[in-house]
Amino acid sequence: MPHRPLGRAQSSPATASIKGAPMGEVPIKHLFTTGLVYDTFMLKHQCMCGNTHIHPEHAGRIQSVWSRLQETGLLGRCERIRGRKATLDEIQTVHSEYHTLLYGTSPLNRQKLDSKKLLGPISQKMYAVLPCGGIGVDSDTVWNEMHSSGAVRMAVGCVIELAFKVAAGELKNGFAVVRPPGHHAEESTAMGFCFFNSVAITAKLLQQKLGVSKILIVDWDIHHGNGTQQAFYNDPNVLYISMHRYDDGNFFPGSGAPEEVGVGPGVGFNTNIAWTGGVEPPMGDVEYLTAFRTVVMPIANEFSPDVVLVSAGFDAVEGHQSPLGGYNVTAKCFSHLTKQLMKLAGGRVVLALEGGHDLTAICDASESCVAALLGDELDPLPQAVLQQKPCPKAAASLERVIEIQSKHWSSLQRLAPTVGQSLMDAQRREKDEADTVTAMASLTVDTEQAAASTVSTETSRSTEEPMEEEPVL
Ligand code: X5A
Ligand code: ZN
């Protein structure tokens, strides 16, 4: 047998692996793919009354999304990640011990805790009896004593597992098909369908366990993520940018004013793009894309995150009526927003489902976003969207955000006068500006050359029109 060197030649591409990765070797084929996570355990969180009309945040939401990803072949092109239940310790990175035990344990495993004298008041009655006959915090935020704790811990654990693989470079990016949502859950408060704040817990763990320094959380659910804002309000290493219907505090949950910019060292690291002005007209693609152009992407680029987490609620998509919606954003628009976020953080972007109950809307939007994460070519935005100016109420809302945030983010200043422009006009203006910079640079080079010798400056711009003005030497 002729001697052959060991190493690359002996490992086929399919079995090549990264040495030294934690938990063994990571197959190459798993790299640079999109991760998906889902677990049927989350279906068990359901009101005892079983009426999905009274309770729109029902199991069918994630079942439908998962089926859609399967039917369209997207699931087969992604890497499926195994979920798990988050530990009580993990949940306590954001939530109080009492809140964690209250919603993170079932009567069965609570008894063990009780006997260890960890809990006194928790065995007392803790829920309201709802008009439907079930129990919960309110008609939105229902509870199933036997099954909800496992489901809510699974939702958190799924997001953690996916985000850690993306942050560690094992996956390109990911999408978590999870419920119940989390962004309204505060340290000790369950509300608005939410018990544990999956995205906030994941961000805390990425900081504490993986040492990730800068995390951007983008929240495009139509509701303000009061819980996420609270969790990082004084933290300059987690930038929270929320885009939500605000209506001067008259839309649930009422928080999320543009003046809420953070506190202490966190000042400037909380951005609320608070739409005000109701639904005449409703906000749509033009307004959301303009917000990304003038606020989200400039601030995000200036912050330069290591990882991007998205609280990806789809209740701003057409098909959701007030009070759970009222806007007209298309499902496809969210694929364009996803694609823009993929330009950040080396593409390390993780989307986690939050709100949205119109099944067509959340399936369409999830499908488009996963296709974007996979790098598929997107349908171009319609000409009408590119040519339309944002509505005046949206422009006013954006001007207010820029006025407040430009103190903290210098890239915003030059964008303030452009919020009323169509995307096409803004693109043309940006190109003109870039061309001017190029022309100025060549002018500087020419000037230096002219100063150094008597050779004509024409050679370096022979294909260009002659300059209008010559520099004064
Ligand atoms: C996650 C989410 C909405 C709560 C509405 C309360 N929550 N009426 O979309
Ligand atoms: Zn929502």
Side-chain angles (χ1 to χ4, degrees):
M1 286 286 284
H3 174 79
R4 294 185 55 164
L6 296 171
R8 275 201 68 87
Q10 290 212 330
S11 57
S12 77
T15 58
S17 56
I18 307 171
K19 308 277 196 234
M23 311 302 293
E25 301 180 353
V26 182
I28 289 275
K29 67 164 184 146
H30 294 182
L31 283 175
F32 311 120
T33 68
T34 296
L36 295 179
V37 66
Y38 171 76
D39 195 293
T40 54
F41 229 94
M42 294 178 285
L43 306 177
K44 292 171 164 246
H45 169 66
Q46 270 183 315
C47 186
M48 296 177 300
C49 83
N51 185 330
T52 60
H53 295 283
I54 312 177
H55 309 299
E57 199 292 287
H58 58 86
R61 297 173 62 240
I62 56 170
Q63 268 182 318
S64 308
V65 169
W66 193 249
S67 300
R68 173 67 75 85
L69 297 178
Q70 231 161 356
E71 289 157 8
T72 51
L74 290 165
L75 174 53
R77 298 169 55 203
C78 295
E79 184 69 22
R80 182 166 178 187
I81 300 309
R82 182 179 297 280
R84 63 170 172 88
K85 291 178 192 167
T87 67
L88 297 176
D89 280 340
E90 288 173 330
I91 294 163
Q92 283 187 70
T93 56
V94 167
H95 299 284
S96 67
E97 182 185 38
Y98 180 78
H99 183 90
T100 301
L101 293 171
L102 184 58
Y103 297 115
T105 58
S106 72
L108 282 172
N109 52 24
R110 197 172 299 153
Q111 221 164 12
K112 288 184 233 158
L113 294 168
D114 261 332
S115 66
K116 288 184 201 156
K117 299 225 161 31
L118 281 169
L119 295 161
I122 223 150
S123 21
Q124 317 292 309
K125 177 170 169 282
M126 48 192 186
Y127 312 108
V129 177
L130 306 173
C132 63
I135 57 167
V137 176
D138 54 52
S139 287
D140 287 336
T141 321
V142 298
W143 193 250
N144 183 309
E145 262 296 77
M146 279 311 291
H147 297 122
S148 286
S149 59
V152 297
R153 283 171 65 172
M154 180 59 77
V156 179
C158 283
V159 179
I160 296 170
E161 284 298 300
L162 183 63
F164 268 60
K165 287 189 160 55
V166 171
E170 295 173 31
L171 292 167
K172 181 174 87 161
N173 52 34
F175 188 95
V177 184
V178 291
R179 72 175 283 270
H183 72 151
H184 295 306
E186 297 183 352
E187 181 177 7
S188 296
T189 309
M191 60 187 277
F193 309 133
C194 306
F195 299 89
F196 296 147
N197 196 322
S198 306
V199 166
I201 293 165
T202 299
K204 292 273 191 195
L205 290 168
L206 287 174
Q207 291 183 303
Q208 293 171 15
K209 306 274 183 225
L210 271 193
V212 177
S213 354
K214 284 187 287 177
I215 301 169
L216 167 64
I217 300 177
V218 173
D219 187 336
W220 65 43
D221 187 284
I222 199 169
H223 303 95
H224 179 241
N226 54 292
T228 313
Q229 169 171 304
Q230 185 197 60
F232 303 105
Y233 209 53
N234 63 0
D235 189 341
N237 301 308
V238 177
L239 169 60
Y240 178 65
I241 305 182
S242 176
M243 203 163 31
H244 51 271
R245 183 171 168 192
Y246 180 59
D247 291 355
D248 294 307
N250 293 305
F251 195 74
F252 184 87
S255 56
E259 292 80 10
E260 298 164 12
V261 298
V263 76
V267 166
F269 295 91
N270 195 90
T271 297
N272 284 321
I273 302 171
W275 303 119
T276 282
V279 292
E280 283 177 47
M283 303 302 167
D285 293 5
V286 175
E287 289 72 27
Y288 274 61
L289 290 161
T290 304
F292 257 58
R293 178 179 69 77
T294 61
V295 179
V296 178
M297 292 310 293
I299 294 181
N301 274 312
E302 214 175 318
F303 180 63
S304 186
D306 302 306
V307 175
V308 180
L309 304 179
V310 183
S311 269
F314 293 125
D315 38 13
V317 176
E318 50 195 353
H320 292 87
Q321 309 306 312
S322 297
L324 283 171
Y327 285 178
N328 261 339
V329 185
T330 65
K332 287 204 170 124
C333 181
F334 285 98
S335 64
H336 288 269
L337 304 185
T338 300
K339 190 178 170 185
Q340 291 186 40
L341 294 178
M342 288 164 67
K343 297 228 152 63
L344 304 162
R348 289 180 290 274
V349 177
V350 177
L351 274 58
L353 184 65
E354 295 272 6
H357 63 278
D358 182 90
L359 298 184
T360 305
I362 63 175
C363 289
D364 288 352
S366 301
E367 179 187 337
S368 326
C369 288
V370 171
L373 291 171
L374 280 165
D376 288 358
E377 182 143 6
L378 307 182
D379 291 341
L381 291 161
Q383 280 297 309
V385 170
L386 296 174
Q387 285 166 359
Q388 200 186 323
K389 294 173 173 28
C391 74
K393 286 165 178 171
S397 303
L398 291 173
E399 272 164 19
R400 182 78 188 121
V401 183
I402 292 174
E403 180 185 327
I404 291 162
Q405 293 288 346
S406 56
K407 205 159 69 206
H408 312 291
W409 304 98
S410 65
S411 57
L412 293 185
Q413 273 137 23
R414 62 177 200 89
L415 292 159
T418 78
V419 294
Q421 294 174 353
S422 71
L423 294 158
M424 205 168 255
D425 287 347
Q427 221 161 56
R428 187 173 307 134
R429 178 192 49 76
E430 264 159 39
K431 195 191 172 301
D432 287 351
E433 275 185 15
D435 288 351
T436 305
V437 170
T438 309
M440 291 301 285
S442 89
L443 191 64
T444 308
V445 171
D446 292 347
T447 308
E448 284 164 0
Q449 284 174 346
S453 69
T454 56
V455 173
S456 164
T457 58
E458 288 302 309
T459 49
S460 62
R461 53 169 198 249
S462 53
T463 59
E464 309 263 327
E465 291 294 310
M467 292 284 174
E468 296 283 6
E469 301 173 22
E470 286 298 327
V472 182
L473 293 175

